[in-house]
Amino acid sequence: MRKPFLDNIRWAVVLLVIFYHVFFEFNSVGVLGAIGGFTFPQYQDGILYFIYPWFMILLFLVSGICSRYSMEKYSSKEFLKMRVRTLIVPGILGVFVYQWIVGYITTKASGPDAQKVLETVPLVAKYIICSLGGIGPLWFAHLLMILCLFVPLFKVIDKNNHFYEFCGKANLIVLFALAVPLWGCSYILNTPVITVYRFGIYGFAFFAGYFVFAHEQIQEKLEKIACPLLIIAVLCGIGYSIYFFGQPYADDKVLTHPLTNLYAWIMCLAVLGSAKKWFNFQNKFTVYMSQNSFGYYVLHMLWIILPAYLLKNFTDLPVWCIYVLTGLSGFIMTSAEVFVMKRIPVLRYCVLGIKKKKE
């Protein structure tokens, strides 16, 4: 059951991830892992506040919907086999084959203390450090694979689809009320230190997609109110960004705040409804992006970190020009690398999880 608007949401979120990382590298609000800002306050950091609470939740929500459709087409064994190839191979093997380069550049750009660590450890340890440091956005593949392991189990438990059909009866009040359990899940199963592995909230979004939002009637309910819902979501985002501006937006106290989770959920509903209404089509560009979005997701970090580091530290260009050039590098160079890597057999399998060449 292929639905163009879901494919379009996925590649659009991937492009949004690239856009986000351009601004993230220069953030001045204390979110770790970046090169650093130009001054404080930087009002362009408001873009990070507006995007961060919801875009990955939305991606897990859509992944849950698509997993439901896949299970209607494939057996549990086939489903897991595909997920291992497309998620685990790039997420683990690809880290040691390719992503160590990203980790090396990231470490070099992180300052003298990080560089000193690389200089004082043996070559093997240096390689491991760089590989782990290059995981970057591949945390999504790791977490999604773990969630996918539960899908065949739920198929067995709900083999007659009683729970699934019950979830399909949800009205708009119930759909909005799901913001409450989303908020509750923001407190649980969060890994320490590496805070992007938020199993609770992303797991909730994934299984909400699988059981609730995979229903055509649920999607149609959101489509009917897409315009006012999108306006409300944007207004909530502006209010949220103003309220928390200046605080590290990735801190637990921000991520677990009820306002953060309410905004995130409303925006996810708004994007689903809006995409169903206005983005449910295909053309050559959307088909290309649907087929290559994972490559963009996996490969873009190198082409943002490298120019960001060089432009900020070794040029006197205006700040706006540095943002623009870094963004252009992120989109153009990633496109070129996706094109090339798909044509190199070993790399396209290890890094992108592509078994055969796809034109």
Side-chain angles (χ1 to χ4, degrees):
M1 189 185 296
R2 204 82 189 182
K3 297 195 175 184
F5 82 96
L6 294 175
D7 290 330
N8 291 340
I9 289 176
R10 285 196 291 191
W11 65 254
V13 171
V14 168
L15 294 185
L16 191 61
V17 168
I18 299 175
F19 180 76
Y20 164 84
H21 279 136
V22 172
F23 285 83
F24 165 79
E25 287 300 328
F26 303 116
N27 86 82
S28 65
V29 293
V31 180
L32 300 178
I35 292 170
F38 299 93
T39 184
F40 184 84
Q42 293 181 160
Y43 294 108
Q44 63 267 31
D45 287 345
I47 292 172
L48 300 172
Y49 289 85
F50 189 85
I51 295 173
Y52 188 77
W54 57 269
F55 69 151
M56 294 309 295
I57 294 176
L58 177 63
L59 204 54
F60 278 100
L61 187 67
V62 171
S63 296
I65 298 173
C66 294
S67 293
R68 177 74 201 192
Y69 297 157
S70 293
M71 288 299 289
E72 294 174 355
K73 184 177 180 181
Y74 302 104
S75 67
S76 296
K77 183 178 180 180
E78 291 171 331
F79 173 80
L80 291 177
K81 186 177 179 180
M82 287 188 296
R83 292 300 180 267
V84 166
R85 177 173 58 81
T86 58
L87 297 174
I88 289 299
V89 171
I92 296 180
L93 188 58
V95 168
F96 293 97
V97 171
Y98 174 82
Q99 299 297 341
W100 66 269
I101 302 172
V102 179
Y104 177 77
I105 299 297
T106 302
T107 305
K108 296 291 284 187
S110 298
D113 292 338
Q115 294 175 24
K116 188 179 293 185
V117 171
L118 286 186
E119 293 170 359
T120 57
V121 299
L123 184 61
V124 173
K126 185 184 298 186
Y127 169 68
I128 293 174
I129 291 171
C130 290
S131 297
L132 296 178
I135 288 175
L138 282 171
W139 65 267
F140 170 77
H142 301 159
L143 208 161
L144 182 57
M145 185 66 226
I146 292 172
L147 294 174
C148 285
L149 294 176
F150 290 92
V151 169
L153 176 62
F154 283 119
K155 183 178 181 179
V156 172
I157 294 174
D158 191 35
K159 61 181 179 180
N160 294 320
N161 288 330
H162 293 317
F163 183 67
Y164 175 69
E165 295 301 331
F166 172 77
C167 291
K169 298 176 183 179
N171 57 29
L172 286 174
I173 295 175
V174 173
L175 297 183
F176 284 107
L178 289 176
V180 176
L182 180 85
W183 172 43
C185 289
S186 71
Y187 287 93
I188 62 173
L189 300 177
N190 299 320
T191 56
V193 184
I194 309 176
T195 56
V196 291
Y197 290 93
R198 304 174 66 208
F199 286 89
I201 195 167
Y202 293 137
F204 176 83
F206 178 84
F207 290 114
Y210 185 88
F211 286 110
V212 180
F213 294 93
H215 290 275
E216 179 73 25
Q217 62 267 31
I218 298 292
Q219 297 166 10
E220 290 175 350
K221 284 182 172 69
L222 295 176
E223 182 184 7
K224 290 177 181 178
I225 60 169
C227 188
L229 189 55
L230 187 60
I231 293 172
I232 293 171
V234 171
L235 292 175
C236 286
I238 294 171
Y240 161 85
S241 302
I242 294 172
Y243 183 81
F244 284 108
F245 190 80
Q247 300 182 47
Y249 58 83
D251 277 10
D252 280 346
K253 65 180 180 179
V254 177
L255 293 177
T256 56
H257 195 283
L259 177 59
T260 306
N261 291 276
L262 177 63
Y263 162 52
W265 190 244
I266 291 176
M267 182 59 84
C268 287
L269 298 183
V271 173
L272 276 178
S274 299
K276 181 74 164 62
K277 187 176 184 67
W278 296 302
F279 211 26
N280 196 24
F281 60 83
Q282 286 183 315
N283 54 39
K284 289 184 179 180
F285 176 75
T286 65
V287 171
Y288 169 81
M289 289 304 304
S290 297
Q291 293 173 346
N292 293 279
S293 61
F294 187 70
Y296 280 77
Y297 183 82
V298 171
L299 299 174
H300 74 274
M301 284 304 299
L302 175 62
W303 305 112
I304 290 176
I305 295 171
L306 185 58
Y309 173 69
L310 295 175
L311 290 169
K312 183 175 185 292
N313 292 287
F314 300 102
T315 74
D316 295 319
L317 292 172
V319 171
W320 68 267
C321 189
I322 292 176
Y323 277 100
V324 170
L325 291 176
T326 302
L328 288 175
S329 173
F331 288 105
I332 296 173
M333 295 304 295
T334 302
S335 299
E337 189 175 15
V338 169
F339 178 83
V340 172
M341 190 167 289
K342 284 178 61 181
R343 284 153 179 80
I344 304 175
V346 175
L347 288 181
R348 73 166 173 256
Y349 178 75
C350 295
V351 180
L352 303 178
I354 298 175
K355 206 169 187 179
K356 296 180 180 179
K357 183 177 178 180
K358 295 181 180 180
E359 297 296 341

